[in-house]
Amino acid sequence: MFVAAALALLATMILTIARALLGPTLYDRLLAVNSFGTKTVLFIAVFGFLTGRPEFLDIALVYSLINFIGTVAVLKFYEYDDLGSGAYQEDDF
Amino acid sequence: MPEFIAILLTLFAWVLMLIGCVFIVAGGVGLVRFPDLYTRLHAAGVTDTGGTIFMVLAMILISLSQYQNPWIAGKLLLILFFTLFTTPTASHALAKTALLSGLVPKDEHGKPIIDSPELAQKMALSRAPKDGSVNLTPGASDNADNNKSDGNS
């Protein structure tokens, strides 16, 4: 079962990389990279179960958080050209 | 744990894992084949969340039936929790940033559904009205009255 899941995840990761390389706009590439990160988290978890060592889950946990932070950081950088800029709407917060 | 309960859990986990695989592969195919960014965002965002839910639930069932360590299920639940928060947030931020950069959504005939990139930026910056009525039709630029146009961009 875990072999099938790992193969499905690997196939999807290849498709995601294809979109990241093809993607006409920057946002297509970012979407592909974010989606790739989610699949990596799942793949690490599945691989841990596949090899009978679920301790890999710690790495998956850290990777899911870093993936989100990376995506939001790149989005913010391309939006404002500055990672330290404030909110663009004061009543948002 | 009795033998038949473990077998039942494993069978159920098989079904959940299969559903998760279908979600994940469908998301990958949609990410490649859909025509523009917003449709791809739908494919990737929805199927990532759905596939993650099913796959992690399957792994939780397997860990409960095969390993006697409750921390494994706890870590899997944490992964599910964080993914359920971060994936929709990243999709939302991506869509809003794309709209703010002037990328206009198109309908099925390739015709833009918003008049101009400037209107798209205004709509991305505008707040929904307090009474809950949102008007997103082309030409309804008075919808963007209450935005703060002198942003720091």
Side-chain angles (χ1 to χ4, degrees):
Chain A
M1 169 167 66
F2 288 121
V3 178
L7 284 180
L9 281 168
L10 279 177
T12 312
M13 282 157 97
I14 291 172
L15 291 175
T16 331
I17 288 184
R19 175 48 68 196
L21 292 176
L22 288 172
T25 66
L26 166 85
Y27 304 104
D28 287 301
R29 296 176 206 275
L30 261 176
L31 173 64
V33 168
N34 186 33
S35 184
F36 186 82
T38 310
K39 269 123 208 170
T40 311
V41 171
L42 281 178
F43 182 73
I44 294 172
V46 167
F47 188 77
F49 278 99
L50 186 63
T51 53
R53 293 175 61 197
E55 295 85 11
F56 277 99
L57 287 175
D58 294 327
I59 306 173
L61 193 53
V62 172
Y63 203 94
S64 71
L65 292 173
I66 289 179
N67 180 36
F68 171 67
I69 291 173
T71 303
V72 172
V74 174
L75 280 172
K76 192 172 183 186
F77 183 71
Y78 274 95
E79 191 53 46
Y80 302 115
D81 288 334
D82 179 13
L83 283 181
S85 89
Y88 56 84
Q89 281 180 328
E90 273 126 21
D91 55 345
D92 259 350
F93 299 103
Chain B
M1 185 179 297
E3 188 72 16
F4 70 96
I5 290 184
I7 293 176
L8 215 63
L9 277 182
T10 312
L11 268 180
F12 193 49
W14 260 93
V15 174
L16 285 180
M17 188 67 102
L18 197 69
I19 297 174
C21 285
V22 170
F23 262 91
I24 293 276
V25 174
V29 173
L31 195 62
V32 170
R33 285 184 54 88
F34 274 175
D36 76 334
L37 172 74
Y38 297 101
T39 49
R40 281 176 209 139
L41 201 60
H42 165 75
V46 173
T47 54
D48 265 8
T49 316
T52 308
I53 290 173
F54 283 113
M55 278 195 149
V56 172
L57 280 182
M59 283 189 271
I60 286 175
L61 289 184
I62 290 287
S63 76
L64 286 182
S65 71
Q66 285 187 1
Y67 299 94
Q68 266 66 51
N69 189 355
W71 281 104
I72 297 171
K75 282 174 199 167
L76 281 167
L77 274 179
L78 267 182
I79 290 177
L80 184 61
F81 179 77
F82 286 133
T83 310
L84 283 188
F85 271 99
T86 56
T87 309
T89 311
S91 293
H92 170 80
L94 195 60
K96 191 160 187 173
T97 313
L99 200 62
L100 204 58
S101 79
L103 197 66
V104 174
K106 296 183 172 65
D107 65 4
E108 66 264 36
H109 308 298
K111 187 172 151 290
I113 65 167
I114 303 175
D115 289 339
S116 67
E118 290 74 29
L119 182 57
Q121 287 171 349
K122 270 190 181 174
M123 285 165 72
L125 282 171
S126 69
R127 309 281 296 168
K130 286 281 190 287
D131 57 0
S133 65
V134 182
N135 188 7
L136 289 183
T137 51
S141 54
D142 53 344
N143 186 30
D145 275 345
N146 46 357
N147 72 332
K148 183 168 159 293
S149 55
D150 53 345
N152 52 3
S153 55

